[in-house]
């Protein structure tokens, strides 16, 4: 096992009815800004529940944070935070609202151009406004981690940063808020969480037994419960299991002490920036192709994955690896996502611009061994056509 330094300060309130319990977690006397997306929280009643819970607080609101939140919109929120002397933020929504809130929290206290956070890899983030989360979409793990991804529309760039100053103070996870999710977002969430586990698990063995078995447990749960969330959308137990699984998939726990990959995500971010695919759609396309191209480097873990997640234990090793990757792909399709670029109207002519963007963002040595060069990324994208 590798050395690690792990701390996760986010408090979790889990279960039906927990939104009513959030008020004491927001400081009395704070000037609160509630941030949300395009209106799903009004339609499903979450907006009303949060407002009712915060009756005793001074609450302003900022709606309209888009999926793949844009820098342009978030800058407007930063102005509001400053002009209204806001000192506490509450993100109510999915990963986009939470990520946007993290960026606002850090940028509001910064004396330089907010975009410098990405250029300086957050080295200039030394403080952030405190904030809490009410999660409505299990997928990103953003509710219990310190990462955020923001898109700059003007330059078609999608960039990530991480800072220990932007862990949420608390997150409310009420599975009933996810009943209203459209099937597309249910599928996206399951595939995103699955990919998060794979980025931290499917590398090379370091004899980290608990991390491996924990990761396999999360993958098995997603395979078991993901399709049920589509066929039994009002099943509380299914929703609860998916919600906690997605959080645990990227709260740092399974990634502590193990090598991590993230090449699939970095290529995926460029596909979203250039072609507006949903985040999980990019992962469904890139991950199976990445596993195929990198099968030698990942060989031992692919065999372990084949055995422990897909129960493929007998016969030729090459066939077992092929089968495990094919099953992964079939699972993504069962969740409603296309697994080829062509499924999203993209062809060979779209590969070169992705490689250019990767180069511009210094994404030229990706993967757990830094061997995913632009040439390897090209092979992956070609295989994903
Ligand atoms: O905007 P509203 O109206 O709220 O609608 C949203 C949005 O259209 C809707 N939605 C959310 N909860 C709902 C709901 N609709 C009905 N009922 C509900 N309960 O779903 C749509 C998508 O929301 P979004 O927040 O964009 O989805 P997701 O949670 O998948 O977040 C995606 C973003 O997170 C980033 C992605 O790159 C992308 O920008 N990621 C963040 C990570 C992190 N912070 O650690 C890691 C991930 O790998 C990922 O990169
Ligand atoms: Zn992701």
């Amino acid at each position: 096992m590798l050395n690690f330094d792990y701390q996760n300060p986010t408090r979790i309130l889990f279960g039906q009815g927990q939104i009513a319990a959030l008020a004491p977690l927001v400081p009395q006397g704070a000037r609160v800004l509630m941030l949300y997306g395009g209106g799903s929280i009004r339609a499903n009643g979450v907006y009303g529940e949060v407002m009712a819970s915060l009756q005793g607080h001074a609450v302003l609101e900022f709606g309209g944070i888009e999926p793949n939140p844009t820098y342009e919109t978030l800058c407007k929120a930063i102005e509001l935070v400053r002009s209204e002397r806001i000192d506490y933020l509450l993100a109510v929504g999915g990963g986009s609202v939470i990520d946007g809130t993290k960026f606002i929290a850090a940028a509001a206290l910064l004396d330089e151009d907010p975009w410098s956070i990405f250029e300086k890899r957050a080295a200039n983030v030394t403080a952030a406004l405190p904030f809490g989360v009410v999660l409505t979409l299990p997928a990103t793990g953003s509710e219990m981690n310190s990462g955020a991804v923001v898109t700059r529309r003007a330059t078609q760039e999608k960039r990530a940063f991480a800072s220990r100053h932007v862990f949420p103070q608390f997150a409310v996870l009420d599975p009933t808020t996810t009943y209203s999710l459209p099937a597309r977002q249910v599928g996206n969430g399951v595939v995103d969480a699955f990919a998060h586990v794979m980025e931290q698990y499917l590398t090379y063995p370091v004899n980290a037994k608990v991390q491996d078995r924990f990761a396999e447990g999360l993958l098995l749960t997603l395979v078991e419960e993901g399709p049920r969330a589509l066929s039994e959308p009002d099943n509380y137990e299914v929703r609860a299991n998916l919600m906690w699984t997605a959080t645990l998939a990227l709260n740092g726990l399974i990634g502590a002490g193990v090598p991590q990959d993230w090449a699939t995500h970095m290529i995926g971010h460029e596909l979203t920036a250039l072609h507006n695919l949903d985040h999980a759609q990019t992962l469904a396309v890139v991950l199976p192709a990445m596993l195929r191209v990198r099968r030698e480097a990942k060989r031992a873990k692919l065999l372990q994955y084949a055995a422990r997640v897909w129960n493929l234990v007998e016969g030729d090793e090459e066939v077992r690896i092929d089968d495990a990757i094919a099953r992964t792909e079939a699972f993504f399709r069962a969740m409603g996502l296309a697994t080829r670029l062509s499924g999203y109207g993209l062809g060979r002519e779209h590969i070169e611009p992705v490689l250019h963007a990767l180069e511009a963002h210094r994404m030229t040595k990706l993967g757990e061994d830094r061997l995913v060069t632009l040439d390897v990324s090209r092979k992956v994208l070609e295989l994903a056509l």
Side-chain angles (χ1 to χ4, degrees):
M1 198 186 305
L2 311 179
N3 290 2
F4 63 88
D5 174 349
Y6 178 66
Q7 182 180 27
N8 191 313
T10 304
R11 177 171 174 180
I12 299 292
L13 289 190
F14 190 95
Q16 181 159 19
Q18 291 283 37
I19 293 175
L22 75 81
L25 303 185
V26 180
Q28 271 302 327
R31 289 179 60 75
V32 182
L33 183 64
M34 170 177 164
L35 299 119
Y36 56 96
S40 71
I41 63 163
R42 286 188 187 270
N44 64 13
V46 170
Y47 176 91
E49 282 183 63
V50 173
M51 282 302 188
S53 182
L54 286 178
Q55 253 171 16
H57 286 78
V59 184
L60 275 73
E61 58 182 87
F62 183 91
I65 297 180
E66 318 84 340
N68 306 309
T70 68
Y71 178 68
E72 287 82 354
T73 298
L74 301 175
C75 283
K76 292 184 189 146
I78 295 166
E79 276 172 34
L80 185 67
V81 165
R82 289 182 176 150
S83 64
E84 292 292 337
R85 300 181 322 282
I86 297 293
D87 50 21
Y88 201 93
L89 306 177
L90 183 66
V92 185
S96 294
V97 173
I98 304 168
D99 283 9
T101 300
K102 289 174 178 176
F103 180 69
I104 295 161
L109 301 188
L110 203 67
D111 271 340
E112 35 185 333
D113 169 22
W115 194 252
S116 63
I117 291 176
F118 301 105
E119 270 145 14
K120 298 185 178 175
R121 299 191 173 194
N124 54 345
V125 175
T126 54
L129 288 177
F131 68 98
V133 167
V134 176
L135 180 69
T136 66
L137 200 178
T140 62
S142 187
E143 65 278 7
M144 199 179 179
N145 71 35
S146 59
V149 194
V150 172
T151 297
R152 191 165 190 167
R153 195 175 275 153
T155 52
Q156 280 190 301
E157 285 179 281
K158 182 168 179 168
R159 303 288 295 272
F161 82 96
S163 162
R164 65 184 174 83
H165 299 290
V166 298
F167 273 105
Q169 287 195 333
F170 67 86
V172 180
L173 277 56
D174 177 345
T176 66
T177 64
T178 70
Y179 290 159
S180 58
L181 281 169
R184 169 169 160 187
Q185 297 303 341
V186 173
N188 281 348
V190 168
V191 169
D192 192 22
F194 196 94
H196 293 159
V197 179
M198 295 289 269
E199 299 272 29
Q200 301 164 90
Y201 163 75
L202 220 145
T203 57
Y204 55 85
V206 293
N207 203 19
K209 295 198 173 189
V210 172
Q211 291 90 324
D212 277 7
R213 291 198 165 106
F214 201 163
E216 287 150 3
L218 297 175
L219 294 173
L220 285 163
T221 306
L222 291 167
V223 170
E224 212 167 280
E225 303 294 74
R228 288 182 74 196
L230 293 176
S231 61
E232 307 168 40
D234 294 336
N235 186 325
Y236 179 84
E237 294 301 326
V238 169
R239 298 291 194 167
N241 278 296
L242 281 182
M243 203 169 205
W244 190 222
T245 300
T247 300
L248 291 167
L250 195 49
N251 72 348
L253 195 58
I254 63 167
V258 299
Q260 301 194 14
D261 183 342
W262 299 106
T264 292
H265 266 73
M266 295 307 118
I267 298 173
H269 285 172
E270 304 300 358
L271 283 169
T272 296
L274 293 171
H275 301 293
N276 215 20
L277 268 64
D278 292 349
H279 171 60
Q281 294 174 337
T282 70
L283 306 175
V285 166
V286 177
L287 182 61
M290 181 69 72
L291 297 177
R292 289 191 173 107
V293 169
R294 302 261 294 147
R295 67 188 286 149
E296 282 318 312
K298 292 179 178 292
R299 185 182 181 80
K301 272 307 194 55
L302 277 168
L303 284 167
Q304 182 178 324
Y305 168 67
R308 295 193 190 173
V309 176
W310 299 108
N311 208 17
L312 302 164
V313 287
E314 281 169 13
D316 183 68
E317 290 190 350
E318 299 310 320
V319 175
R320 272 186 261 160
I321 291 175
D322 286 341
D323 270 8
I325 299 173
R327 288 187 195 214
T328 309
E329 220 172 3
F331 172 62
F332 293 168
R333 281 197 298 269
M335 293 310 303
L337 286 83
T339 55
R340 295 299 161 117
L341 286 169
S342 54
Y344 302 99
L346 300 177
R348 195 169 290 279
E349 68 279 16
H350 297 105
I351 293 179
E352 214 49 45
V354 175
L355 298 172
H356 275 133
L358 285 169
E359 189 168 24
H361 299 140
R362 292 176 287 169
M363 301 290 172
T364 54
K365 288 182 187 170
L366 298 171
E368 62 272 24
D369 46 16
R370 301 180 56 76
L371 291 177
V372 181
T373 58
L374 290 181
D375 270 347
V376 177
S377 293
R378 178 182 288 108
K379 285 200 186 89
V380 170
L381 290 164
E382 282 173 354
L383 203 63
L385 281 170

